[in-house]
mmCIF file of all heavy atoms in Angstrom:
data_model
loop_
_atom_site.group_PDB
_atom_site.id
_atom_site.type_symbol
_atom_site.label_atom_id
_atom_site.label_comp_id
_atom_site.label_asym_id
_atom_site.label_seq_id
_atom_site.Cartn_x
_atom_site.Cartn_y
_atom_site.Cartn_z
ATOM 1 N N ILE O 178 -36.338 -1.329 -57.039
ATOM 2 C CA ILE O 178 -35.057 -0.917 -56.436
ATOM 3 C C ILE O 178 -34.847 -1.827 -55.233
ATOM 4 O O ILE O 178 -35.592 -1.735 -54.257
ATOM 5 C CB ILE O 178 -35.088 0.560 -55.983
ATOM 6 C CG1 ILE O 178 -35.429 1.457 -57.160
ATOM 7 C CG2 ILE O 178 -33.765 0.963 -55.330
ATOM 8 C CD1 ILE O 178 -35.736 2.899 -56.786
ATOM 9 N N PRO O 179 -33.891 -2.757 -55.310
ATOM 10 C CA PRO O 179 -33.746 -3.720 -54.217
ATOM 11 C C PRO O 179 -33.232 -3.073 -52.943
ATOM 12 O O PRO O 179 -32.471 -2.107 -52.992
ATOM 13 C CB PRO O 179 -32.736 -4.741 -54.752
ATOM 14 C CG PRO O 179 -32.014 -4.042 -55.842
ATOM 15 C CD PRO O 179 -32.913 -2.963 -56.373
ATOM 16 N N TYR O 180 -33.682 -3.607 -51.814
ATOM 17 C CA TYR O 180 -33.222 -3.105 -50.525
ATOM 18 C C TYR O 180 -31.818 -3.620 -50.268
ATOM 19 O O TYR O 180 -31.537 -4.800 -50.406
ATOM 20 C CB TYR O 180 -34.160 -3.593 -49.411
ATOM 21 C CG TYR O 180 -33.658 -3.274 -48.023
ATOM 22 C CD1 TYR O 180 -33.405 -1.953 -47.653
ATOM 23 C CD2 TYR O 180 -33.435 -4.275 -47.085
ATOM 24 C CE1 TYR O 180 -32.942 -1.647 -46.384
ATOM 25 C CE2 TYR O 180 -32.978 -3.973 -45.810
ATOM 26 C CZ TYR O 180 -32.735 -2.659 -45.472
ATOM 27 O OH TYR O 180 -32.270 -2.364 -44.218
ATOM 28 N N ARG O 181 -30.923 -2.699 -49.919
ATOM 29 C CA ARG O 181 -29.561 -3.114 -49.554
ATOM 30 C C ARG O 181 -29.305 -2.650 -48.131
ATOM 31 O O ARG O 181 -29.281 -1.445 -47.882
ATOM 32 C CB ARG O 181 -28.532 -2.451 -50.477
ATOM 33 C CG ARG O 181 -28.592 -3.011 -51.872
ATOM 34 C CD ARG O 181 -27.362 -2.628 -52.678
ATOM 35 N NE ARG O 181 -27.408 -3.259 -53.988
ATOM 36 C CZ ARG O 181 -28.049 -2.743 -55.029
ATOM 37 N NH1 ARG O 181 -28.688 -1.602 -54.901
ATOM 38 N NH2 ARG O 181 -28.056 -3.361 -56.185
ATOM 39 N N PRO O 182 -29.087 -3.589 -47.220
ATOM 40 C CA PRO O 182 -28.813 -3.166 -45.834
ATOM 41 C C PRO O 182 -27.570 -2.292 -45.806
ATOM 42 O O PRO O 182 -26.611 -2.529 -46.523
ATOM 43 C CB PRO O 182 -28.559 -4.484 -45.103
ATOM 44 C CG PRO O 182 -29.186 -5.532 -45.957
ATOM 45 C CD PRO O 182 -29.103 -5.038 -47.367
ATOM 46 N N LYS O 183 -27.635 -1.252 -44.975
ATOM 47 C CA LYS O 183 -26.499 -0.338 -44.868
ATOM 48 C C LYS O 183 -25.485 -0.919 -43.891
ATOM 49 O O LYS O 183 -25.857 -1.544 -42.923
ATOM 50 C CB LYS O 183 -26.982 1.011 -44.320
ATOM 51 C CG LYS O 183 -27.682 1.860 -45.364
ATOM 52 C CD LYS O 183 -26.656 2.463 -46.299
ATOM 53 C CE LYS O 183 -27.128 3.689 -47.017
ATOM 54 N NZ LYS O 183 -28.344 3.640 -47.730
ATOM 55 N N PRO O 184 -24.187 -0.685 -44.132
ATOM 56 C CA PRO O 184 -23.195 -1.156 -43.156
ATOM 57 C C PRO O 184 -23.433 -0.488 -41.813
ATOM 58 O O PRO O 184 -24.006 0.600 -41.745
ATOM 59 C CB PRO O 184 -21.849 -0.710 -43.725
ATOM 60 C CG PRO O 184 -22.136 -0.060 -45.015
ATOM 61 C CD PRO O 184 -23.606 -0.010 -45.250
ATOM 62 N N ALA O 185 -22.994 -1.147 -40.774
ATOM 63 C CA ALA O 185 -23.267 -0.655 -39.434
ATOM 64 C C ALA O 185 -22.337 0.487 -39.073
ATOM 65 O O ALA O 185 -21.601 0.417 -38.113
ATOM 66 C CB ALA O 185 -23.088 -1.790 -38.443
ATOM 67 N N SER O 186 -22.341 1.546 -39.888
ATOM 68 C CA SER O 186 -21.500 2.677 -39.472
ATOM 69 C C SER O 186 -22.393 3.547 -38.614
ATOM 70 O O SER O 186 -23.348 4.131 -39.089
ATOM 71 C CB SER O 186 -20.962 3.443 -40.673
ATOM 72 O OG SER O 186 -21.944 4.296 -41.183
ATOM 73 N N THR O 187 -22.116 3.544 -37.349
ATOM 74 C CA THR O 187 -22.987 4.193 -36.379
ATOM 75 C C THR O 187 -22.598 5.660 -36.251
ATOM 76 O O THR O 187 -21.594 6.075 -36.815
ATOM 77 C CB THR O 187 -22.839 3.474 -35.031
ATOM 78 O OG1 THR O 187 -21.466 3.186 -34.873
ATOM 79 C CG2 THR O 187 -23.630 2.195 -35.022
ATOM 80 N N PRO O 188 -23.355 6.433 -35.494
ATOM 81 C CA PRO O 188 -23.041 7.854 -35.384
ATOM 82 C C PRO O 188 -21.615 8.074 -34.877
ATOM 83 O O PRO O 188 -21.057 7.222 -34.188
ATOM 84 C CB PRO O 188 -24.042 8.353 -34.343
ATOM 85 C CG PRO O 188 -25.131 7.364 -34.360
ATOM 86 C CD PRO O 188 -24.542 6.056 -34.753
ATOM 87 N N VAL O 189 -21.078 9.198 -35.229
ATOM 88 C CA VAL O 189 -19.699 9.519 -34.839
ATOM 89 C C VAL O 189 -19.744 10.625 -33.803
ATOM 90 O O VAL O 189 -20.534 11.556 -33.916
ATOM 91 C CB VAL O 189 -18.923 10.047 -36.063
ATOM 92 C CG1 VAL O 189 -17.472 10.268 -35.695
ATOM 93 C CG2 VAL O 189 -19.044 9.069 -37.198
ATOM 94 N N ILE O 190 -18.881 10.519 -32.815
ATOM 95 C CA ILE O 190 -18.795 11.560 -31.793
ATOM 96 C C ILE O 190 -17.361 12.054 -31.768
ATOM 97 O O ILE O 190 -16.430 11.248 -31.840
ATOM 98 C CB ILE O 190 -19.168 10.964 -30.417
ATOM 99 C CG1 ILE O 190 -20.668 10.684 -30.403
ATOM 100 C CG2 ILE O 190 -18.774 11.901 -29.283
ATOM 101 C CD1 ILE O 190 -21.147 10.046 -29.139
ATOM 102 N N PHE O 191 -17.179 13.364 -31.701
ATOM 103 C CA PHE O 191 -15.826 13.911 -31.589
ATOM 104 C C PHE O 191 -15.651 14.450 -30.185
ATOM 105 O O PHE O 191 -16.463 15.219 -29.707
ATOM 106 C CB PHE O 191 -15.630 15.049 -32.595
ATOM 107 C CG PHE O 191 -15.663 14.553 -34.002
ATOM 108 C CD1 PHE O 191 -16.772 14.752 -34.793
ATOM 109 C CD2 PHE O 191 -14.594 13.850 -34.518
ATOM 110 C CE1 PHE O 191 -16.811 14.266 -36.082
ATOM 111 C CE2 PHE O 191 -14.627 13.362 -35.808
ATOM 112 C CZ PHE O 191 -15.729 13.571 -36.600
ATOM 113 N N ALA O 192 -14.589 14.015 -29.525
ATOM 114 C CA ALA O 192 -14.329 14.530 -28.184
ATOM 115 C C ALA O 192 -12.826 14.649 -28.015
ATOM 116 O O ALA O 192 -12.087 13.706 -28.308
ATOM 117 C CB ALA O 192 -14.897 13.567 -27.143
ATOM 118 N N GLY O 193 -12.391 15.816 -27.588
ATOM 119 C CA GLY O 193 -10.963 16.026 -27.330
ATOM 120 C C GLY O 193 -10.092 15.710 -28.526
ATOM 121 O O GLY O 193 -9.014 15.141 -28.401
ATOM 122 N N GLY O 194 -10.594 16.055 -29.729
ATOM 123 C CA GLY O 194 -9.787 15.842 -30.923
ATOM 124 C C GLY O 194 -9.747 14.384 -31.363
ATOM 125 O O GLY O 194 -9.056 14.036 -32.297
ATOM 126 N N GLN O 195 -10.499 13.521 -30.671
ATOM 127 C CA GLN O 195 -10.548 12.104 -31.056
ATOM 128 C C GLN O 195 -11.925 11.821 -31.653
ATOM 129 O O GLN O 195 -12.910 12.422 -31.236
ATOM 130 C CB GLN O 195 -10.397 11.204 -29.816
ATOM 131 C CG GLN O 195 -9.019 11.184 -29.211
ATOM 132 C CD GLN O 195 -8.064 10.302 -30.006
ATOM 133 O OE1 GLN O 195 -8.474 9.346 -30.645
ATOM 134 N NE2 GLN O 195 -6.795 10.629 -29.968
ATOM 135 N N ALA O 196 -11.965 10.917 -32.604
ATOM 136 C CA ALA O 196 -13.257 10.513 -33.164
ATOM 137 C C ALA O 196 -13.627 9.142 -32.604
ATOM 138 O O ALA O 196 -12.779 8.264 -32.485
ATOM 139 C CB ALA O 196 -13.154 10.437 -34.679
ATOM 140 N N TYR O 197 -14.892 8.991 -32.254
ATOM 141 C CA TYR O 197 -15.360 7.711 -31.719
ATOM 142 C C TYR O 197 -16.601 7.284 -32.487
ATOM 143 O O TYR O 197 -17.415 8.129 -32.863
ATOM 144 C CB TYR O 197 -15.766 7.846 -30.240
ATOM 145 C CG TYR O 197 -14.640 8.239 -29.333
ATOM 146 C CD1 TYR O 197 -14.358 9.586 -29.095
ATOM 147 C CD2 TYR O 197 -13.852 7.274 -28.711
ATOM 148 C CE1 TYR O 197 -13.310 9.959 -28.260
ATOM 149 C CE2 TYR O 197 -12.810 7.636 -27.875
ATOM 150 C CZ TYR O 197 -12.543 8.973 -27.649
ATOM 151 O OH TYR O 197 -11.514 9.333 -26.827
ATOM 152 N N THR O 198 -16.756 5.978 -32.700
ATOM 153 C CA THR O 198 -18.041 5.508 -33.220
ATOM 154 C C THR O 198 -18.723 4.754 -32.094
ATOM 155 O O THR O 198 -18.061 4.151 -31.256
ATOM 156 C CB THR O 198 -17.864 4.555 -34.428
ATOM 157 O OG1 THR O 198 -16.933 3.555 -34.069
ATOM 158 C CG2 THR O 198 -17.374 5.293 -35.651
ATOM 159 N N ILE O 199 -20.043 4.811 -32.103
ATOM 160 C CA ILE O 199 -20.803 4.145 -31.042
ATOM 161 C C ILE O 199 -21.118 2.730 -31.501
ATOM 162 O O ILE O 199 -21.699 2.545 -32.559
ATOM 163 C CB ILE O 199 -22.124 4.903 -30.796
ATOM 164 C CG1 ILE O 199 -21.845 6.364 -30.474
ATOM 165 C CG2 ILE O 199 -22.931 4.238 -29.687
ATOM 166 C CD1 ILE O 199 -21.113 6.587 -29.194
ATOM 167 N N GLN O 200 -20.727 1.747 -30.720
ATOM 168 C CA GLN O 200 -21.094 0.370 -31.029
ATOM 169 C C GLN O 200 -21.744 -0.202 -29.790
ATOM 170 O O GLN O 200 -21.092 -0.369 -28.774
ATOM 171 C CB GLN O 200 -19.857 -0.437 -31.423
ATOM 172 C CG GLN O 200 -19.304 0.043 -32.759
ATOM 173 C CD GLN O 200 -18.079 -0.730 -33.181
ATOM 174 O OE1 GLN O 200 -17.729 -1.728 -32.592
ATOM 175 N NE2 GLN O 200 -17.431 -0.263 -34.215
ATOM 176 N N GLY O 201 -23.050 -0.466 -29.911
ATOM 177 C CA GLY O 201 -23.783 -0.914 -28.724
ATOM 178 C C GLY O 201 -23.754 0.209 -27.714
ATOM 179 O O GLY O 201 -24.178 1.316 -27.993
ATOM 180 N N GLN O 202 -23.188 -0.047 -26.545
ATOM 181 C CA GLN O 202 -23.170 1.004 -25.519
ATOM 182 C C GLN O 202 -21.773 1.585 -25.353
ATOM 183 O O GLN O 202 -21.505 2.290 -24.400
ATOM 184 C CB GLN O 202 -23.641 0.424 -24.196
ATOM 185 C CG GLN O 202 -25.075 -0.051 -24.298
ATOM 186 C CD GLN O 202 -25.473 -0.927 -23.139
ATOM 187 O OE1 GLN O 202 -24.697 -1.174 -22.235
ATOM 188 N NE2 GLN O 202 -26.693 -1.395 -23.179
ATOM 189 N N TYR O 203 -20.872 1.237 -26.252
ATOM 190 C CA TYR O 203 -19.494 1.696 -26.076
ATOM 191 C C TYR O 203 -19.083 2.667 -27.169
ATOM 192 O O TYR O 203 -19.526 2.559 -28.297
ATOM 193 C CB TYR O 203 -18.533 0.494 -26.097
ATOM 194 C CG TYR O 203 -18.870 -0.509 -25.040
ATOM 195 C CD1 TYR O 203 -19.590 -1.649 -25.330
ATOM 196 C CD2 TYR O 203 -18.499 -0.283 -23.710
ATOM 197 C CE1 TYR O 203 -19.934 -2.557 -24.346
ATOM 198 C CE2 TYR O 203 -18.835 -1.186 -22.719
ATOM 199 C CZ TYR O 203 -19.548 -2.318 -23.036
ATOM 200 O OH TYR O 203 -19.883 -3.207 -22.054
ATOM 201 N N ALA O 204 -18.206 3.602 -26.796
ATOM 202 C CA ALA O 204 -17.626 4.497 -27.796
ATOM 203 C C ALA O 204 -16.268 3.905 -28.165
ATOM 204 O O ALA O 204 -15.422 3.688 -27.311
ATOM 205 C CB ALA O 204 -17.456 5.884 -27.212
ATOM 206 N N ILE O 205 -16.086 3.604 -29.425
ATOM 207 C CA ILE O 205 -14.833 2.985 -29.875
ATOM 208 C C ILE O 205 -13.992 4.050 -30.585
ATOM 209 O O ILE O 205 -14.470 4.667 -31.540
ATOM 210 C CB ILE O 205 -15.132 1.845 -30.889
ATOM 211 C CG1 ILE O 205 -16.263 0.940 -30.383
ATOM 212 C CG2 ILE O 205 -13.863 1.075 -31.244
ATOM 213 C CD1 ILE O 205 -15.915 0.010 -29.268
ATOM 214 N N PRO O 206 -12.754 4.292 -30.157
ATOM 215 C CA PRO O 206 -11.917 5.279 -30.845
ATOM 216 C C PRO O 206 -11.718 4.875 -32.302
ATOM 217 O O PRO O 206 -11.607 3.700 -32.613
ATOM 218 C CB PRO O 206 -10.583 5.223 -30.091
ATOM 219 C CG PRO O 206 -10.871 4.499 -28.832
ATOM 220 C CD PRO O 206 -12.062 3.622 -29.066
ATOM 221 N N HIS O 207 -11.737 5.852 -33.176
ATOM 222 C CA HIS O 207 -11.659 5.581 -34.606
ATOM 223 C C HIS O 207 -10.485 6.350 -35.201
ATOM 224 O O HIS O 207 -10.626 7.504 -35.581
ATOM 225 C CB HIS O 207 -12.977 6.036 -35.241
ATOM 226 C CG HIS O 207 -13.380 5.181 -36.375
ATOM 227 N ND1 HIS O 207 -12.605 5.065 -37.497
ATOM 228 C CD2 HIS O 207 -14.467 4.390 -36.580
ATOM 229 C CE1 HIS O 207 -13.206 4.240 -38.344
ATOM 230 N NE2 HIS O 207 -14.330 3.813 -37.806
ATOM 231 N N PRO O 208 -9.291 5.733 -35.270
ATOM 232 C CA PRO O 208 -8.091 6.493 -35.662
ATOM 233 C C PRO O 208 -8.198 7.160 -37.029
ATOM 234 O O PRO O 208 -7.803 8.305 -37.192
ATOM 235 C CB PRO O 208 -6.972 5.442 -35.657
ATOM 236 C CG PRO O 208 -7.650 4.122 -35.504
ATOM 237 C CD PRO O 208 -9.010 4.350 -34.967
ATOM 238 N N ASP O 209 -8.811 6.476 -38.030
ATOM 239 C CA ASP O 209 -8.890 7.086 -39.372
ATOM 240 C C ASP O 209 -9.696 8.365 -39.338
ATOM 241 O O ASP O 209 -9.344 9.377 -39.936
ATOM 242 C CB ASP O 209 -9.569 6.136 -40.367
ATOM 243 C CG ASP O 209 -8.844 4.816 -40.432
ATOM 244 O OD1 ASP O 209 -7.698 4.783 -39.942
ATOM 245 O OD2 ASP O 209 -9.406 3.838 -40.944
ATOM 246 N N LEU O 210 -10.812 8.305 -38.607
ATOM 247 C CA LEU O 210 -11.659 9.496 -38.528
ATOM 248 C C LEU O 210 -10.984 10.584 -37.716
ATOM 249 O O LEU O 210 -11.152 11.764 -37.990
ATOM 250 C CB LEU O 210 -12.980 9.140 -37.851
ATOM 251 C CG LEU O 210 -13.932 8.390 -38.747
ATOM 252 C CD1 LEU O 210 -15.141 7.996 -37.962
ATOM 253 C CD2 LEU O 210 -14.328 9.270 -39.908
ATOM 254 N N THR O 211 -10.231 10.168 -36.706
ATOM 255 C CA THR O 211 -9.537 11.169 -35.890
ATOM 256 C C THR O 211 -8.586 11.957 -36.776
ATOM 257 O O THR O 211 -8.540 13.180 -36.723
ATOM 258 C CB THR O 211 -8.760 10.473 -34.745
ATOM 259 O OG1 THR O 211 -9.714 9.742 -33.979
ATOM 260 C CG2 THR O 211 -8.073 11.484 -33.860
ATOM 261 N N LYS O 212 -7.858 11.239 -37.640
ATOM 262 C CA LYS O 212 -6.928 11.921 -38.554
ATOM 263 C C LYS O 212 -7.692 12.906 -39.428
ATOM 264 O O LYS O 212 -7.294 14.055 -39.604
ATOM 265 C CB LYS O 212 -6.221 10.890 -39.443
ATOM 266 C CG LYS O 212 -5.102 10.153 -38.721
ATOM 267 C CD LYS O 212 -4.334 9.288 -39.727
ATOM 268 C CE LYS O 212 -3.584 8.190 -39.019
ATOM 269 N NZ LYS O 212 -3.963 6.855 -39.412
ATOM 270 N N LEU O 213 -8.807 12.430 -39.957
ATOM 271 C CA LEU O 213 -9.619 13.294 -40.827
ATOM 272 C C LEU O 213 -10.083 14.530 -40.072
ATOM 273 O O LEU O 213 -10.035 15.646 -40.572
ATOM 274 C CB LEU O 213 -10.870 12.525 -41.251
ATOM 275 C CG LEU O 213 -10.901 11.960 -42.655
ATOM 276 C CD1 LEU O 213 -12.210 11.228 -42.867
ATOM 277 C CD2 LEU O 213 -10.751 13.048 -43.693
ATOM 278 N N HIS O 214 -10.556 14.269 -38.844
ATOM 279 C CA HIS O 214 -11.079 15.348 -38.017
ATOM 280 C C HIS O 214 -9.982 16.376 -37.732
ATOM 281 O O HIS O 214 -10.182 17.573 -37.855
ATOM 282 C CB HIS O 214 -11.601 14.735 -36.712
ATOM 283 C CG HIS O 214 -12.128 15.741 -35.736
ATOM 284 N ND1 HIS O 214 -13.104 16.633 -36.080
ATOM 285 C CD2 HIS O 214 -11.814 15.984 -34.436
ATOM 286 C CE1 HIS O 214 -13.369 17.389 -35.020
ATOM 287 N NE2 HIS O 214 -12.601 17.011 -34.027
ATOM 288 N N GLN O 215 -8.788 15.864 -37.379
ATOM 289 C CA GLN O 215 -7.692 16.782 -37.071
ATOM 290 C C GLN O 215 -7.277 17.565 -38.312
ATOM 291 O O GLN O 215 -7.039 18.766 -38.248
ATOM 292 C CB GLN O 215 -6.498 15.992 -36.508
ATOM 293 C CG GLN O 215 -6.799 15.466 -35.111
ATOM 294 C CD GLN O 215 -5.724 14.530 -34.600
ATOM 295 O OE1 GLN O 215 -4.932 14.006 -35.363
ATOM 296 N NE2 GLN O 215 -5.703 14.301 -33.300
ATOM 297 N N LEU O 216 -7.262 16.871 -39.436
ATOM 298 C CA LEU O 216 -6.922 17.554 -40.683
ATOM 299 C C LEU O 216 -7.912 18.677 -40.962
ATOM 300 O O LEU O 216 -7.530 19.790 -41.315
ATOM 301 C CB LEU O 216 -7.000 16.571 -41.850
ATOM 302 C CG LEU O 216 -5.742 15.764 -42.148
ATOM 303 C CD1 LEU O 216 -6.071 14.678 -43.156
ATOM 304 C CD2 LEU O 216 -4.664 16.676 -42.713
ATOM 305 N N ALA O 217 -9.197 18.334 -40.776
ATOM 306 C CA ALA O 217 -10.227 19.324 -41.079
ATOM 307 C C ALA O 217 -10.123 20.511 -40.130
ATOM 308 O O ALA O 217 -10.307 21.655 -40.518
ATOM 309 C CB ALA O 217 -11.599 18.675 -40.946
ATOM 310 N N MET O 218 -9.796 20.213 -38.875
ATOM 311 C CA MET O 218 -9.713 21.298 -37.900
ATOM 312 C C MET O 218 -8.483 22.169 -38.148
ATOM 313 O O MET O 218 -8.484 23.347 -37.857
ATOM 314 C CB MET O 218 -9.649 20.717 -36.481
ATOM 315 C CG MET O 218 -10.989 20.193 -36.019
ATOM 316 S SD MET O 218 -12.265 21.422 -36.263
ATOM 317 C CE MET O 218 -13.440 20.918 -35.067
ATOM 318 N N GLN O 219 -7.424 21.562 -38.644
ATOM 319 C CA GLN O 219 -6.207 22.350 -38.825
ATOM 320 C C GLN O 219 -6.190 23.107 -40.135
ATOM 321 O O GLN O 219 -5.766 24.243 -40.203
ATOM 322 C CB GLN O 219 -5.004 21.411 -38.885
ATOM 323 C CG GLN O 219 -4.687 20.827 -37.570
ATOM 324 C CD GLN O 219 -3.902 19.570 -37.807
ATOM 325 O OE1 GLN O 219 -4.156 18.602 -37.178
ATOM 326 N NE2 GLN O 219 -2.978 19.585 -38.733
ATOM 327 N N GLN O 220 -6.588 22.413 -41.178
ATOM 328 C CA GLN O 220 -6.579 22.969 -42.521
ATOM 329 C C GLN O 220 -5.183 23.383 -42.968
ATOM 330 O O GLN O 220 -5.029 24.172 -43.875
ATOM 331 C CB GLN O 220 -7.501 24.187 -42.620
ATOM 332 C CG GLN O 220 -8.916 23.839 -42.221
ATOM 333 C CD GLN O 220 -9.865 24.939 -42.545
ATOM 334 O OE1 GLN O 220 -9.476 26.087 -42.626
ATOM 335 N NE2 GLN O 220 -11.103 24.618 -42.743
#
Side-chain angles (χ1 to χ4, degrees):
I178 303 169
Y180 172 58
R181 290 195 176 85
K183 283 284 202 307
S186 79
T187 41
V189 185
I190 289 177
F191 293 104
Q195 289 282 332
Y197 298 89
T198 51
I199 304 295
Q200 292 180 10
Q202 297 166 1
Y203 302 99
I205 314 286
H207 214 298
D209 303 345
L210 284 175
T211 301
K212 282 188 201 120
L213 257 179
H214 178 55
Q215 289 172 342
L216 273 170
M218 285 309 204
Q219 288 158 223
Q220 303 190 335

